[in-house]
Amino acid sequence: MDRKRKPVRARERLGEYERKRSPEATNEPYGDDVDPGTGETLVGAFVVHLHDATRRHYDVRIEIGGVLASFAVPRGPSLDPDEKHLAVNTEDHPIEYLDFEDVIPDGQYGAGPMIVWDRGVVLYLEGPAEKEKEAGKLHFELRGMKLRGRWTFVKLAKSVKGNEWLFFKKQDEHARKAKNADVDAAPSGEGPRPIIDAMPCSVLSGLTVDELAHKDTIGARHVAQAKKHGAKALRERAILAPTSSPLVTPHASTPTGEGWVFDPELDGLRVCAIRDDDRVALLLYPTGGGPAEAVESFYPDVVRALRALPATRVVLDGELVAFDASGHPNLALLAHRATRVAKGDILRATTQSPVVLIATDLLVLGDVDVRGVGLEARREILGALLPRVGFVRAAQPLEGELDVVLTACAALGVGGVVAKKKGEPYAASSAWHYASSGLAPRSRAIVDHRAGVRETALRRVTISNRQKIFWPDEGYTKGDLVDYYANVADVLLPYLAARPVILVRYPDGIAGKSFFQWNVPVGMPAWVRTLSLEDESGAERRRGFLVDDAPTLQYIANLACIPLHMLACRMADLTRADFFTLDFDVKQSTLRHAVTLARTLRELLAAIGLVGYPKTSGQSGLHVLVPLGAGHGFDTARGLADVLGRALVDRHPDIATVDRVVGRRGTKVYVDTGQTGPTRAIVAPYSVRAVAGATVSTPLAWDEVTPDLDPRAFTIKTVPARLAKTGDLLAGLLDPKKGPDVAGAVAKLAKLLT
Ligand code: MN
């Protein structure tokens, strides 16, 4: 083999993946440029998906050279080395697919639900995976949550299509004979079952592949169960952002009498885990009091799993734990993780020392407060909500005589147990005791997130592929885009602050495919905030990003987001618009006519006591933005825009139309008044457009709105210098003191038109 051969770029290896999918129609990740490295993969990540497509199958995906080599295995993995299952080598998938769990929409390639059945590390045992795969055999060790030990893919010499392989377990201590069961017989006496039947659930959401499409129903069922046990409506919102620890502290005294369950002390970190829609927090409370330390940015795998749960709101009491190779909790490994993440290689860190959250209690679920419910019922709900095997899992408490439990703990090297009284509500700390197993106290490793927190506080974003050409005609690069957004951050950010921003990504520049970012990108730093939005039909959830600071702006620029679209409302109230927009679309007309119409609009607005701010759309047209002060309902905002649009057509019937049917517009300017609404986004001021020239949507002074205006003159290369001269010409849009008399304006407008 020619060792000097240039490694194939990961992006090119995703060609078949991209050809099979329409990024705007599927919810699957499209993939970023990944450094293919040296072409010698010895260790990587793996995922096994269970995919209920036309035919149900398992997809075994192992990282090779920055992408996921993928094998469809209809019968799935078996722990019996004699069970050699057919595996069809399919197209390479982007590394982001490690985290993909969703229902692929009808009509798309691979339509149907897909769960993350297993995740972990793959170690190639006989040399670089690239070389092995080419030779038609891959020997590797899996360190997953379900699959462990040595495995093999062997290419079938007689394969007609050339893509047929066999997948099977190698003999080792993790192998099981099928006739003896893959998994030891369940205590319930159900008898032996293969691993795929014994462990059917996702390691992210805990759902089976059949349940995934019914996530909301299942979530509602858990809440109904909690209500049946007496859980009351959640009144105290403070529990979702607690300033002091909401967690019960056990007494250091021996419990007496009957009716206890015991949670073994784990060598981990006790945290309060909170998911409230898109917001996830892992709060660590220092012993002896003090403010919580938010550590979620270190554990994106746990965050991802919390977001996947069939409960949009949940508060858990639990322990963050890293396991060593023999499966024992190891705080030193966790301490290592706390520093590793600071280096920015999140994927590497999460793969090499996975951390899981073991939940011992449930405080909040959906819209109910579970704390008043008795212990056994709380744990029953917790057990139903969380998987036994996964990134967030339910703890398995011990029962029996305290002496027996402690003796068993000592034998296993566990320092003690927390005893919890049956039947008691969560708040009753008198019902919790800590009992030592008598082992000499170990020196606990110190987990110091501070170095990492300092890094996180700096919110460093590493920019990848700066040299990649994004505008082929001009030779402008991704680096030019990132630098432009850094340059204009001070004037741009106030417009985006607390406002949902819709992202469109162009990983290969303006000539390549583009797609809306409706999901949380893999490895997204925890400090990047998002929120779920409904689409126009209310049927689908979309994602808005909150771009409130310069690092977030850099992060999204690095995702190759060229245009930034924003809604006319702020987070605090998504039903109120603080401005409305008239868009003068000149695609079938001329800018000269748009200028005439915009100037007429200015006069109309002045007559009714409103002010309009013009900007270029960044393409060929013009926008006029009209501030509404503290905000008004979208109906009012849209109504004003519509009436003004019709008034413009009345005054200039020869050059203006509000006709929604493109064919009927002729050569008139289309006055689009429909860009204001709870699901409508406009291109933000100072946003770059994904068109030749790298033009920018640029605020204008009214004396620039003349037939001489050249919107193409405002580009990522010219706008920063222009800003230095003109300042932000749109600043008045955001000045609440300039809030207009909207009711007065509506009345005046009615009079003006009659
Ligand atoms: Mn598949």
Side-chain angles (χ1 to χ4, degrees):
M1 188 175 152
D2 181 10
R3 297 294 296 255
K4 282 188 216 139
R5 194 181 59 185
K6 200 176 152 214
V8 182
R9 291 186 54 245
R11 169 54 85 199
E12 286 152 17
R13 291 176 45 189
L14 295 173
E16 189 183 348
Y17 176 88
E18 289 172 1
R19 272 195 301 282
K20 285 180 169 173
R21 290 165 177 82
S22 323
E24 66 283 358
T26 184
N27 47 359
E28 296 160 277
Y30 183 80
D32 287 317
D33 246 358
V34 177
D35 179 8
T38 57
E40 297 210 341
T41 307
L42 295 168
V43 62
F46 86 90
V47 59
V48 179
H49 280 116
L50 172 52
H51 186 186
D52 193 16
T54 316
R55 288 232 175 96
R56 186 174 288 210
H57 60 274
Y58 292 78
D59 287 299
V60 179
R61 311 185 200 279
I62 53 179
E63 182 182 349
I64 301 180
V67 298
L68 296 171
S70 295
F71 297 85
V73 185
R75 295 176 64 196
S78 165
L79 300 190
D80 184 345
D82 290 333
E83 299 239 320
K84 295 184 168 59
H85 289 174
L86 178 71
V88 178
N89 186 207
T90 60
E91 74 276 15
D92 288 343
H93 279 49
I95 198 81
E96 286 87 346
Y97 225 88
L98 285 171
D99 258 356
F100 181 75
E101 176 170 298
D102 210 340
V103 181
I104 299 176
D106 280 347
Q108 299 307 306
Y109 180 74
M114 189 188 297
I115 59 165
V116 175
W117 184 80
D118 197 12
R119 269 277 303 273
V121 188
V122 53
L123 300 98
Y124 296 101
L125 300 174
E126 293 180 7
E130 288 84 352
K131 209 169 148 189
E132 287 271 284
K133 183 160 184 265
E134 206 159 290
K137 58 177 176 58
L138 283 154
H139 298 283
F140 49 91
E141 181 188 337
L142 295 179
R143 290 185 190 160
M145 291 191 174
K146 296 173 182 172
L147 301 183
R148 315 277 301 172
R150 291 188 295 126
W151 296 78
T152 297
F153 279 115
V154 179
K155 193 172 184 173
L156 283 171
K158 288 178 183 165
S159 169
V160 179
K161 292 180 187 161
N163 61 357
E164 288 159 311
W165 297 55
L166 290 176
F167 176 54
F168 56 93
K169 182 84 194 68
K170 296 284 274 187
Q171 194 57 254
D172 62 16
E173 74 271 28
H174 300 283
R176 296 281 184 283
K177 291 303 288 178
K179 65 178 192 292
N180 296 334
D182 278 357
V183 173
D184 297 332
S188 60
E190 290 166 60
R193 290 182 299 168
I195 188 166
I196 56 171
D197 296 337
M199 297 180 170
C201 297
S202 159
V203 295
L204 282 180
S205 61
L207 299 171
T208 65
V209 76
D210 297 314
E211 289 171 334
L212 187 67
H214 312 287
K215 213 172 192 174
D216 294 349
T217 316
I218 287 164
R221 202 180 295 157
H222 293 314
V223 173
Q225 192 192 4
K227 283 180 179 161
K228 208 182 76 195
H229 284 296
K232 298 276 184 288
L234 179 68
R235 289 214 178 76
E236 183 212 328
R237 298 270 316 171
I239 185 75
L240 301 172
T243 43
S244 61
S245 177
L247 306 179
V248 171
T249 311
H251 290 264
S253 58
T254 307
T256 54
E258 299 283 298
W260 299 90
V261 297
F262 307 101
D263 277 314
E265 182 188 30
L266 297 173
D267 202 14
L269 287 179
R270 190 168 179 215
V271 291
C272 177
I274 299 166
R275 175 193 179 193
D276 186 13
D277 206 351
D278 275 353
R279 190 178 64 89
V280 172
L282 294 173
L283 302 176
L284 188 62
Y285 291 92
T287 39
E293 201 181 339
V295 298
E296 61 275 2
S297 57
F298 297 88
Y299 309 103
D301 30 12
V302 173
V303 169
R304 170 74 183 90
L306 285 165
R307 282 197 176 119
L309 293 179
T312 51
R313 190 184 291 138
V314 65
V315 178
L316 301 167
D317 180 350
E319 199 94 22
L320 287 172
V321 173
F323 294 101
D324 61 22
S326 58
H328 290 100
N330 187 320
L331 196 62
L333 282 176
L334 200 66
H336 184 56
R337 253 299 277 279
T339 57
R340 281 295 296 277
V341 176
K343 289 178 185 158
D345 192 349
I346 290 169
L347 182 64
R348 225 26 82 194
T350 56
T351 297
Q352 288 176 359
S353 41
V355 170
V356 305
L357 176 72
I358 298 182
T360 52
D361 222 318
L362 178 67
L363 285 69
V364 173
L365 180 68
D367 58 354
V368 294
D369 191 332
V370 191
R371 286 175 292 179
V373 172
L375 175 72
E376 301 96 304
R378 291 200 311 275
R379 305 224 36 165
E380 186 190 317
I381 302 162
L382 194 65
L385 175 70
L386 301 180
R388 292 276 298 261
V389 179
F391 288 98
V392 178
R393 56 182 78 162
Q396 305 298 316
L398 306 171
E399 293 205 44
E401 296 291 324
L402 178 62
D403 290 354
V404 178
V405 167
L406 287 177
T407 307
C409 283
L412 290 166
V414 173
V417 293
V418 176
K420 300 172 183 175
K421 186 83 175 166
K422 286 183 180 176
E424 294 290 333
Y426 183 77
S429 67
S430 59
W432 284 28
H433 298 263
Y434 176 74
S436 167
S437 68
L439 289 178
R442 276 163 307 178
S443 59
R444 270 170 68 91
I446 293 169
V447 183
D448 187 356
H449 291 94
R450 279 173 307 176
V453 168
R454 275 197 296 276
E455 286 281 323
T456 310
L458 291 175
R459 298 183 165 191
R460 248 180 229 148
V461 177
T462 308
I463 306 298
S464 58
N465 298 301
R466 284 191 66 95
Q467 298 311 317
K468 190 164 185 174
I469 300 290
F470 268 28
W471 281 268
D473 290 352
E474 294 78 16
Y476 297 159
T477 62
K478 183 181 176 190
D480 292 326
L481 175 75
V482 169
D483 292 345
Y484 167 78
Y485 276 127
N487 252 318
V488 301
D490 286 350
V491 288
L492 167 56
L493 286 168
Y495 296 100
L496 306 181
R499 204 186 283 285
V501 175
I502 307 294
L503 301 183
V504 190
R505 295 174 63 183
Y506 289 78
D508 294 317
I510 66 164
K513 283 190 186 179
S514 63
F515 60 99
F516 284 94
Q517 184 71 44
W518 294 140
N519 302 307
V520 172
V522 71
M524 184 179 87
W527 45 262
V528 175
R529 292 159 65 209
T530 70
L531 77 163
S532 290
L533 301 166
E534 281 180 355
D535 73 350
E536 269 157 81
S537 65
E540 244 187 294
R541 302 287 273 175
R542 298 175 158 189
R543 193 163 307 277
F545 286 74
L546 294 170
V547 187
D548 277 358
D549 53 26
T552 307
L553 186 59
Q554 286 288 284
Y555 171 74
I556 63 170
N558 188 50
L559 289 180
C561 297
I562 297 178
L564 306 176
H565 293 90
M566 65 183 198
L567 271 66
C569 51
R570 307 262 185 183
M571 276 288 281
D573 188 347
L574 295 175
T575 67
R576 293 169 78 81
D578 54 7
F579 67 91
F580 67 87
T581 305
L582 271 82
D583 172 17
F584 298 96
D585 182 336
V586 301
K587 275 197 273 307
Q588 293 167 248
S589 184
T590 62
L591 185 70
R592 193 166 52 87
H593 291 331
V595 165
T596 304
L597 293 170
R599 299 199 71 94
T600 306
L601 174 62
R602 187 195 187 195
E603 287 162 20
L604 276 173
L605 289 169
I608 61 170
L610 296 180
V611 183
Y613 291 88
K615 71 177 178 71
T616 64
S617 72
Q619 293 183 329
S620 47
L622 286 178
H623 291 161
V624 175
L625 277 51
V626 183
L628 292 175
H632 286 266
F634 270 108
D635 288 350
T636 306
R638 173 67 190 269
L640 270 168
D642 284 345
V643 175
L644 286 163
R646 285 201 300 275
L648 286 173
V649 175
D650 281 350
R651 277 162 176 71
H652 299 284
D654 47 333
I655 58 169
T657 176
V658 289
D659 202 324
R660 292 178 145 239
V661 180
V662 180
R664 288 204 297 251
R665 291 179 197 158
T667 56
K668 293 174 186 172
V669 174
Y670 175 49
V671 182
D672 185 358
T673 58
Q675 304 227 6
T676 304
T679 61
R680 298 302 175 92
I682 66 154
V683 69
Y686 305 107
S687 165
V688 186
R689 303 307 300 259
V691 296
T695 44
V696 167
S697 177
T698 306
L700 303 169
W702 273 110
D703 61 17
E704 292 178 294
V705 183
T706 71
D708 295 333
L709 178 68
D710 178 11
R712 300 198 55 77
F714 307 120
T715 73
I716 58 171
K717 294 297 178 182
T718 62
V719 165
R722 170 184 159 89
L723 263 171
K725 267 189 260 161
T726 64
D728 180 15
L729 296 170
L730 194 57
L733 184 75
L734 300 176
D735 188 349
K737 288 195 293 288
K738 290 193 180 165
D741 172 11
V742 173
V746 171
K748 281 180 195 157
L749 188 56
K751 219 184 238 171
L752 202 69
L753 295 179
T754 49

